[in-house]
Amino acid sequence: MFTSINVQSQNINQDSTLTNSEADTTFIMTKSPTGAMLRSAIIPGWGQFYNESYWKIPIIWGAAAWFVYGWQGENDNYNYFSDLYNKSLLDPSNNLTLVYKNIRDGYRDNRDLFAIYLGLTYFLNVIDAYVDAHLFDFDIGMNSFTKEPEFKIKFNF
């Protein structure tokens, strides 16, 4: 969230303002958020593997597989009732034309929802990899006084 940049010019006669303890506390991010995001965009779950969040990979793949399975089933039913509807249009004595049309439209709507859910799963996979890479080095340490976990946040002004 906050970034501090130390800018110095070279001056031979003046002592450096940075001490060894300040130079040692410079934060260097160990995981690349952009790299994690691109990995997850190429293969869902690869960014989570890069971030060492191995437990998320089966969740992502399972959700994606479930939505692909649901989409396939709804698409098969849509095609079946679409054929029945088209055949019923050719037979004027068939009273089920409106029923077939309504069922077909219901399966089409459900199929489209599964496609949207699959797209959201993919998008959230990419976002999760990006955020997880940013938070990879986030430090939650123990408070030496209360012996409870605390967030260690530094603000540089």
Side-chain angles (χ1 to χ4, degrees):
M1 289 186 186
F2 297 97
T3 305
S4 66
I5 300 173
N6 295 327
V7 179
Q8 295 182 356
S9 63
Q10 192 174 27
N11 190 349
I12 298 172
N13 296 331
Q14 188 179 22
D15 291 336
S16 176
T17 58
L18 284 178
T19 64
N20 286 340
S21 64
E22 288 176 352
D24 291 341
T25 61
T26 303
F27 176 73
I28 298 173
M29 191 176 284
T30 58
K31 299 289 182 182
S32 168
T34 306
M37 181 179 66
L38 292 175
R39 283 175 173 87
S40 276
I42 294 170
I43 299 172
W46 189 17
Q48 284 73 13
F49 184 82
Y50 172 72
N51 292 330
E52 300 174 19
S53 296
Y54 305 114
W55 64 273
K56 293 179 183 179
I57 299 169
I59 294 171
I60 293 167
W61 287 358
W66 175 256
F67 294 137
V68 167
Y69 175 77
W71 183 90
Q72 183 64 41
E74 296 296 320
N75 190 51
D76 291 343
N77 289 331
Y78 167 75
N79 289 334
Y80 176 74
F81 281 101
S82 181
D83 289 342
L84 287 177
Y85 173 69
N86 290 336
K87 289 177 185 175
S88 69
L89 289 175
L90 299 175
D91 185 13
S93 65
N94 193 344
N95 296 333
L96 297 175
T97 303
L98 186 59
V99 173
Y100 290 149
K101 182 182 182 300
N102 290 336
I103 293 172
R104 180 200 68 175
D105 291 345
Y107 282 121
R108 183 190 61 222
D109 292 344
N110 289 340
R111 179 196 64 184
D112 294 346
L113 280 176
F114 275 111
I116 290 170
Y117 296 152
L118 182 62
L120 283 174
T121 302
Y122 177 79
F123 179 71
L124 291 175
N125 155 60
V126 172
I127 296 299
D128 175 67
Y130 184 81
V131 170
D132 197 23
H134 263 294
L135 297 177
F136 184 79
D137 295 317
F138 189 73
D139 185 23
I140 299 177
M142 296 299 284
N143 185 336
S144 59
F145 182 70
T146 62
K147 303 295 185 210
E148 292 181 5
E150 69 178 0
F151 294 109
K152 293 185 177 182
I153 300 173
K154 289 185 180 180
F155 294 102
N156 295 326
F157 294 103

